[in-house]
Amino acid sequence: MAFRLAARALPRRATPLAALARRGYAEGGPSDKIKLSMVLPHQTIFSSTEVTQVNLPAVTGDMGVLANHLSTIEPLRPGVLEVIESAGQSKKWFVSSGFATVHPDNTMTINIIEGAPLEDFSAEAVRSNLAEAQRVASGNGSEEEKAEARIEVDVYEALQASLR
Amino acid sequence: MSSLWRQYMTYNKYSQIAARALRAGLKEDARVQAEKRGFTALRFQEWENGQPGEQVWIDKPKDDGRAKPAV
């Protein structure tokens, strides 16, 4: 009680020195955006860009990352990666695989092996490639060939679902 | 479900197969650009007692007269 009265008694006019001390560095304080760096081997998509939310197709399941997310390293499965830069502005890519790392300082790095915007895909090519891969996966080749075909089936099924 | 490939290959190979599948699903013009990225060539040479062995190509790229090798 006494402390509160004393605080009110302080002069309300802030001196320039006090204002500087209170403001601190520009990056300090909680932010509602996370800094995203998203790279492919041949191209940088985002380079420390502030974004609101990132939706990842992690191997453990779909997850959304907001500002100040827990640090984590997530392997990605073939699926749709969505980046929401600000309310209403979102971009989607289909990615084959990679890793997403959320760092403790509210930054995030996504390394993608191969990926492209959804409009760059051809539904017809996906359909025929899926049929071919399913044929090999259930055929009578070696176990390695069938494992490779199963990977391709996973990619094409996820791609088909995302293009719908 | 996703780790059935683990008994047959490394993550490297898995990621290359998935990337290859993705590239094959692209539209025509994007696919042509992307297929170039999928090509990997290797040339190695074994040395013994200070003597070089034969230079061996794996997936030698076609020589169209444009590119010059580094070595």
Side-chain angles (χ1 to χ4, degrees), chain A:
Chain A
M1 207 51 169
F3 175 75
R4 215 175 283 160
L5 283 170
R8 265 200 215 122
L10 283 171
R12 300 188 124 262
R13 175 180 55 84
T15 65
L17 195 63
L20 271 172
R22 222 182 304 130
R23 206 169 282 146
Y25 295 110
E27 293 96 64
S31 150
D32 61 349
K33 293 203 174 203
I34 187 167
K35 271 209 170 113
L36 171 68
S37 293
M38 182 163 140
V39 291
L40 290 149
H42 53 273
Q43 182 191 6
T44 303
I45 301 181
F46 290 106
S47 178
S48 289
T49 310
E50 300 235 311
V51 301
T52 308
Q53 181 176 343
V54 182
N55 293 329
L56 305 166
V59 164
T60 52
D62 292 332
M63 61 188 283
V65 175
L66 298 166
N68 302 308
H69 194 277
L70 189 68
S71 306
T72 179
I73 302 179
E74 297 285 342
L76 301 177
R77 66 171 202 276
V80 175
L81 198 161
E82 182 179 12
V83 175
I84 299 168
E85 288 182 75
S86 51
Q89 252 191 321
S90 94
K91 292 184 197 157
K92 290 187 186 179
W93 290 266
F94 186 86
V95 300
S96 68
S97 62
F99 285 88
T101 311
V102 183
H103 306 283
D105 56 356
N106 199 23
T107 60
M108 181 174 181
T109 310
I110 304 180
N111 300 306
I112 303 166
I113 311 292
E114 187 67 72
L118 292 181
E119 49 268 14
D120 282 3
F121 290 97
S122 148
E124 189 50 53
V126 173
R127 199 180 4 254
S128 61
N129 288 336
L130 173 60
E132 176 66 30
Q134 279 169 333
R135 198 184 54 79
V136 176
S138 54
N140 44 11
S142 69
E143 284 308 310
E144 286 85 353
E145 286 171 8
K146 287 163 80 166
E148 290 190 19
R150 264 195 293 273
I151 296 168
E152 298 192 351
V153 166
D154 283 345
V155 174
Y156 290 125
E157 282 181 350
L159 197 41
Q160 215 172 38
S162 67
L163 293 176
R164 229 175 273 130

